Amino acid sequence: MADDSWDRDNLAWWEERVELHLGSDLYDLTSFRSGRSSLFPYELEELGEVGGKDLLHLQCHVGLDTISWARLGARATGLDYSAGAVAAARRLADEDGVSAEFIVASVAEAPAVLDRQFDIVYTGKGALSWLPDLRSWAGVVNHLLRPGGLLYLVESHPLVDCMGKTPDFELDYVDPEESVWDEPGDYAVPDAATKSNRTHERVHPLGEVVTCLAGEGMGVRLLHERSEIFFARFPQLVADGPGVWRLPSGWPRLPLSYSLLAQKG
Ligand SMILES: C[S@@+](CC[C@H](N)C(=O)[O-])C[C@H]1O[C@@H](n2cnc3c(N)ncnc32)[C@H](O)[C@@H]1O
């Protein structure tokens, strides 16, 4: 069971990093403002048409993916517990001229603050490891979806989450415990001299993700393990297009991320 320090430390960590991310190469706001989508082609293919659909983006951060879905015609709502991230997302949406709503709330609070259901819940790209309890998360997702609604998740692969700064295993994959870190900088700006550095995270193995969704009666329609990841997780990785990193040739094709589509019954 996570204590109060889980949310307190993590929220302070995220609030301090919002401005850093807005100026970072990884988030690349210059090209985003010129129309670059932050979504990968496989996301559009796997989720399918979003035009006219009600889409909720849980843990939306500064809203790039939320805005990208809205540009494709989704009625998009982004939710994040970082007030700084939500303020940035609102500014970016206003500048863009796209219609998207952003709400400050935790995932746990989402059912109470949102008084409606959605056709699609979208989340991931570094979201699940910040949640201590995936059964509660699956309950929230199921609650927020209309019958027949879809969850679409893109995440770093939990095997990668078990590794340290290089592709060597450091953490348990089976029955993982909370891990506490205390390091400056982060995945987008590694050299930043940050002050709020303590984080609490948990690896969520694929079996846990699928079993928690099945426990809510949701059916998995697709689980695709991918040899690419959306940030430079290890120094060994090579860039392969905007926002895409892979192991160099000569390495086995290990899973670095995954996408999952599940449907509410
Ligand atoms: C890496 S970001 C999500 C990925 C996003 N696609 C991006 O732009 O990078 C993780 C987000 O989760 C949010 N977050 C972490 N724990 C949360 C919680 N319990 N409830 C709501 N938001 C949370 C953080 O504030 C942060 O904005």
Side-chain angles (χ1 to χ4, degrees), residues 117-158:
Q117 290 181 308
F118 295 81
D119 301 308
I120 297 164
V121 170
Y122 170 77
T123 191
K125 295 184 184 163
L128 291 194
S129 70
W130 300 95
L131 304 178
D133 177 0
L134 225 54
R135 266 197 287 184
S136 304
W137 166 81
V140 167
V141 169
N142 192 51
H143 176 95
L144 291 166
L145 282 171
R146 299 192 172 115
L150 296 172
L151 163 71
Y152 187 54
L153 169 66
V154 175
E155 258 311 353
S156 56
H157 199 284

Side-chain angles (χ1 to χ4, degrees), residues 37-252:
S37 171
S38 61
L39 302 168
F40 298 117
Y42 70 79
E43 297 188 84
L44 310 189
E45 255 170 56
E46 291 184 342
L47 183 54
E49 180 56 51
V50 298
K53 300 206 172 135
D54 293 317
L55 181 150
L56 172 65
H57 182 185
L58 289 178
Q59 295 176 253
C60 67
H61 197 39
V62 295
L64 301 198
D65 290 348
T66 326
I67 293 168
S68 296
W69 288 120
R71 285 173 177 167
L72 293 171
R75 285 191 295 268
T77 302
L79 177 142
D80 200 289
Y81 69 179
S82 158
V86 165
R90 287 181 182 142
R91 278 197 308 273
L92 287 167
D94 281 352
E95 278 174 27
D96 199 81
V98 80
S99 168
E101 182 188 14
F102 290 96
I103 293 172
V104 181
S106 69
V107 170
E109 291 164 338
V113 299
L114 295 163
D115 55 355
R116 59 212 164 94
Q117 290 181 308
F118 295 81
D119 301 308
I120 297 164
V121 170
Y122 170 77
T123 191
K125 295 184 184 163
L128 291 194
S129 70
W130 300 95
L131 304 178
D133 177 0
L134 225 54
R135 266 197 287 184
S136 304
W137 166 81
V140 167
V141 169
N142 192 51
H143 176 95
L144 291 166
L145 282 171
R146 299 192 172 115
L150 296 172
L151 163 71
Y152 187 54
L153 169 66
V154 175
E155 258 311 353
S156 56
H157 199 284
L159 280 177
V160 168
D161 296 344
C162 289
M163 294 174 177
K165 291 195 191 317
T166 58
D168 296 308
F169 289 105
E170 278 189 2
L171 299 175
D172 294 332
Y173 184 90
V174 176
D175 298 332
E177 302 283 338
E178 167 184 349
S179 45
V180 180
W181 307 98
D182 198 344
E183 292 174 353
D186 72 357
Y187 59 92
V189 193
D191 299 332
T194 47
K195 293 197 177 84
S196 298
N197 293 329
R198 198 174 152 87
T199 59
H200 307 250
E201 293 180 69
R202 253 201 71 195
V203 174
H204 294 295
L206 283 187
E208 183 192 12
V209 176
V210 170
T211 302
C212 288
L213 294 170
E216 292 295 324
M218 294 184 68
V220 173
R221 286 182 33 184
L222 168 160
L223 173 55
H224 192 165
E225 294 170 288
R226 303 182 165 279
S227 59
E228 64 190 71
I229 191 162
F230 37 83
F231 67 111
R233 175 66 173 79
F234 305 118
Q236 288 87 348
L237 298 183
V238 290
D240 184 22
V244 176
W245 284 264
R246 295 181 192 281
L247 285 162
S249 61
W251 282 69

